[in-house]
Amino acid sequence: MSTPLSGPGSATQAPGREPAGSPPPRSRATRDHAPITVTGLAGKVLLLGLTAGVAVWAAFPLVAAGMWVGLALLVASTAGLFYLYLTRRHVPAKYLVPGTLFLIAFQVIPVLYTAGTAFTNFGDGHRGGKDDAIVAIESSSVTQVPGSAEYALTIATTGDPATGALVFLVTDPGTGAVSVGDSDGLRRLDSADVTVATGGRVTAAAGYTVLNIGQASSRSKEITDLVVPTPGGALRSSGLSRAYEGTAVRAYDAACDCVRDTETGRTWTADDGVGAFVAADGERLAQGWKVNTGLTNFTRVLTDKNVSGPFLSTLIWNFAFAIGSTGGTFLLGMLIAVVLHSARMRGTNLYRVLLVLPYAMPSFAMLLAWRDMFNADFGLINNLFGLDVDWFGQAWTARFAVILVQLWLGYPYMFLVATGALQAIPRELTEATSVDGASPWQSFRAVTLPLLLVALSPLLISSFAFNFNNFNAIYLTTDGAPFPADNPTNGATDLLITYTYRLAFGGQGAQLGFAAGISVFIFAIVAVVSAVGFRRTRKQEEVYA
């Protein structure tokens, strides 16, 4: 047998040699990655530039606050992102990192912040440090005394006249100099930046919006409450056109770590355990400071009779509401989906459009409409059926009403997901049971329902968690009513979330630390229920896999 010789016309080449005119071999990196287009390069430059801009913007407050650990983490994470997206390696990480960052930013950090706040007394009157509290106490006690200096006053804002931060523009009657003051203090303005009319009123100031009488009158309470600290005391308004520099009646004494009232001689001593100045008879000054209170917010739920008394009954009703709302909507939605899934039904598309209408409407508007329909005097339900029921005046009728409203609002969602799950179940399975002699009910119970539960159990768990914290359903329908005569803070239809809202924000200012503590309780309850539910779901999946 002869061996063909290699030549210009031969079909074979010597091993390891490329045919003439063939393109040069590509490197492995070139083969594994598509070339970067101009659009892709521009998008990468834009996103990395945006990342760098955000990092620089975030670095300034960290440097100003001396938070060097946070600054180091910012620099390291920014450098890591640049390395990741400027190299061709670590392709899976390029897709995982953005989702991980969003998860940390929008879930992990808020949860950790809420949990951290639960161990403090953070809230109205306890937002800043001790020095801030002392300044606020002294400034708020400023009163006008004989001989106090007076100034021509002009009210202005740093932005919109209705919502912008208020400032005082005061004109010194002796020198005509204009100064601007806010809660941070008083500072002189350049004469070239202001226009002063006769009598010392400022008609224009660079960077500020001067308010007219009508605009200032609409914010009169804020103007009265505004105190501008000065070296000699503080400035307060006397009407809308005059301001005075008064003297603080209450002053801090570092020797005793207390606040003294120079008029009455009363003393409030600092209590770092509660973050407030407390008198001998237990009276606290309204302005305090933020401190770590340990487990106080958690133990209060269990030991404070005003809180723990109705807590258990509210928890039981909360479970009943969540289970009733979730179970009721699931059963109704599934029943309708099964009926419309039948091959014998006609006009199913029209029925489905009509049945989904409640889901397409804004829930808050529908809740308000249902509240009016349950009105005892002119509500549609009483008038339509000739009833005389005070729906929101009795505990059980109010509870029935809110579950009925949730049933109407929630069944379209369950109908949609059940319809999708039914269409994914092979008809051969149900047909096989019919061949074996099973009735439609036996076929549904043995095949359809178990497969539906496997598919919909995660959605049922998430729906339960949503209804367990369904603030709008109660707040917009009954607002927790009816309330017992001896407890106006806990109503018969209150969920834990609405009860917490009323305890934390319905009394004397916002108690954010206490609200965070109860939120941790609610989170733990929902987490345990969800964990148990998902565990049972996995067992079902193993059985019907």
Side-chain angles (χ1 to χ4, degrees):
M1 180 180 294
S2 62
T3 304
L5 300 174
S6 299
S10 78
T12 61
Q13 298 290 334
R17 299 184 60 184
E18 297 291 338
S22 63
R26 295 183 300 168
S27 65
R28 182 176 180 179
T30 305
R31 292 196 306 269
D32 293 343
H33 301 280
I36 299 177
T37 63
V38 175
T39 304
L41 180 61
K44 179 181 289 189
V45 171
L46 178 63
L47 291 176
L48 290 178
L50 180 62
T51 301
V54 171
V56 172
W57 169 78
F60 283 105
L62 292 175
V63 172
M67 301 177 66
W68 307 117
V69 175
L71 181 64
L73 290 175
L74 177 65
V75 172
S77 58
T78 304
L81 288 174
F82 270 76
Y83 167 76
L84 177 63
Y85 288 100
L86 289 178
T87 63
R88 292 178 175 272
R89 301 179 179 180
H90 313 295
V91 174
K94 296 179 190 292
Y95 296 93
L96 292 175
V97 166
T100 303
L101 291 178
F102 278 105
L103 176 68
I104 294 173
F106 294 105
Q107 283 194 288
V108 176
I109 292 179
V111 169
L112 292 179
Y113 179 79
T114 301
T117 303
F119 294 93
T120 69
N121 65 341
F122 183 60
D124 287 351
H126 299 274
R127 294 178 181 268
K130 187 175 182 179
D131 292 339
D132 298 325
I134 292 172
V135 171
I137 291 169
E138 292 179 341
S139 300
S140 62
S141 67
V142 169
T143 57
Q144 188 172 12
V145 297
S148 297
E150 292 194 357
Y151 304 89
L153 172 65
T154 303
I155 310 298
T157 65
T158 56
D160 184 83
T163 60
L166 287 171
V167 296
F168 287 167
L169 299 176
V170 292
T171 306
D172 192 311
T175 63
V178 177
S179 300
V180 60
D182 53 22
S183 57
D184 294 328
L186 198 66
R187 53 194 178 278
R188 182 74 62 88
L189 293 179
D190 193 323
S191 59
D193 295 333
V194 295
T195 304
V196 184
T198 304
R201 173 172 172 76
V202 177
T203 57
Y208 299 98
T209 303
V210 176
L211 305 187
N212 57 38
I213 297 298
Q215 292 169 332
S217 298
S218 65
R219 304 185 65 176
S220 58
K221 185 180 185 306
E222 297 175 71
I223 295 170
T224 303
D225 293 339
L226 179 58
V227 179
V228 180
T230 63
L235 279 176
R236 301 196 73 163
S237 64
S238 178
L240 299 178
S241 60
R242 306 296 296 176
Y244 65 87
E245 184 176 12
T247 303
V249 174
R250 294 174 179 174
Y252 175 71
D253 187 349
C256 64
D257 195 15
C258 63
V259 172
R260 298 185 187 277
D261 192 308
T262 57
E263 290 185 347
T264 64
R266 190 172 176 80
T267 301
W268 294 265
T269 305
D271 186 344
D272 292 323
V274 297
F277 289 98
V278 185
D281 59 359
E283 179 194 7
R284 296 185 186 183
L285 293 180
Q287 185 64 46
W289 58 95
K290 181 181 176 181
V291 295
N292 191 336
T293 58
L295 299 175
T296 301
N297 290 322
F298 299 98
T299 57
R300 180 181 172 189
V301 177
L302 304 175
T303 59
D304 188 342
K305 294 182 179 180
N306 295 327
V307 178
S308 61
F311 190 86
L312 180 60
S313 60
T314 302
L315 177 61
I316 294 173
W317 156 241
N318 205 148
F319 271 105
F321 172 80
I323 294 172
S325 299
T326 305
T329 54
F330 170 69
L331 291 176
L332 181 59
M334 181 187 63
L335 176 63
I336 297 174
V338 169
V339 171
L340 294 183
H341 188 64
S342 174
R344 293 176 294 179
M345 284 293 298
R346 296 292 181 268
T348 56
N349 290 334
L350 176 62
Y351 285 124
R352 285 169 179 162
V353 170
L354 294 176
L355 290 170
V356 171
L357 283 179
Y359 190 59
M361 297 179 180
S363 60
F364 78 93
M366 292 298 97
L367 289 169
L368 295 176
W370 274 97
R371 182 183 67 182
D372 288 340
M373 286 194 289
F374 278 113
N375 187 278
D377 298 322
F378 53 82
L380 175 64
I381 293 177
N382 277 358
N383 292 336
L384 183 63
F385 296 101
L387 303 175
D388 186 20
V389 179
D390 184 5
W391 291 97
F392 298 150
Q394 305 172 52
W396 290 107
T397 55
R399 290 171 176 175
F400 173 78
V402 294
I403 291 181
L404 180 63
V405 173
Q406 282 305 109
L407 183 65
W408 185 84
L409 286 174
Y411 85 85
Y413 171 74
M414 291 298 178
F415 162 69
L416 289 175
V417 296
T419 298
L422 284 171
Q423 292 175 350
I425 298 176
R427 288 187 178 272
E428 291 81 359
L429 296 177
T430 55
E431 291 173 356
T433 58
S434 300
V435 171
D436 291 340
S439 66
W441 165 247
Q442 291 173 328
S443 175
F444 174 78
R445 187 181 61 181
V447 177
T448 306
L449 182 59
L451 293 176
L452 273 179
L453 290 177
V454 169
L456 301 185
S457 288
L459 296 177
L460 291 175
I461 295 171
S462 63
S463 179
F464 172 86
F466 172 80
N467 284 316
F468 198 87
N469 294 298
N470 199 338
F471 181 86
N472 288 344
I474 303 301
Y475 187 77
L476 296 179
T477 308
T478 65
D479 196 16
F483 294 92
D486 59 344
N487 188 2
T489 62
N490 180 248
T493 57
D494 264 327
L495 305 180
L496 287 180
I497 189 67
T498 57
Y499 182 41
T500 301
Y501 177 81
R502 193 172 293 108
L503 284 175
F505 304 102
Q508 299 178 353
Q511 303 178 59
L512 300 177
F514 180 56
I518 301 184
S519 298
V520 172
F521 270 112
I522 298 174
F523 170 78
I525 293 170
V526 175
V528 170
V529 173
S530 299
V532 172
F534 280 119
R535 185 176 181 181
R536 293 182 64 88
T537 300
R538 284 195 297 270
K539 290 182 178 180
Q540 286 181 330
E541 292 174 352
E542 293 172 358
V543 171
Y544 293 96

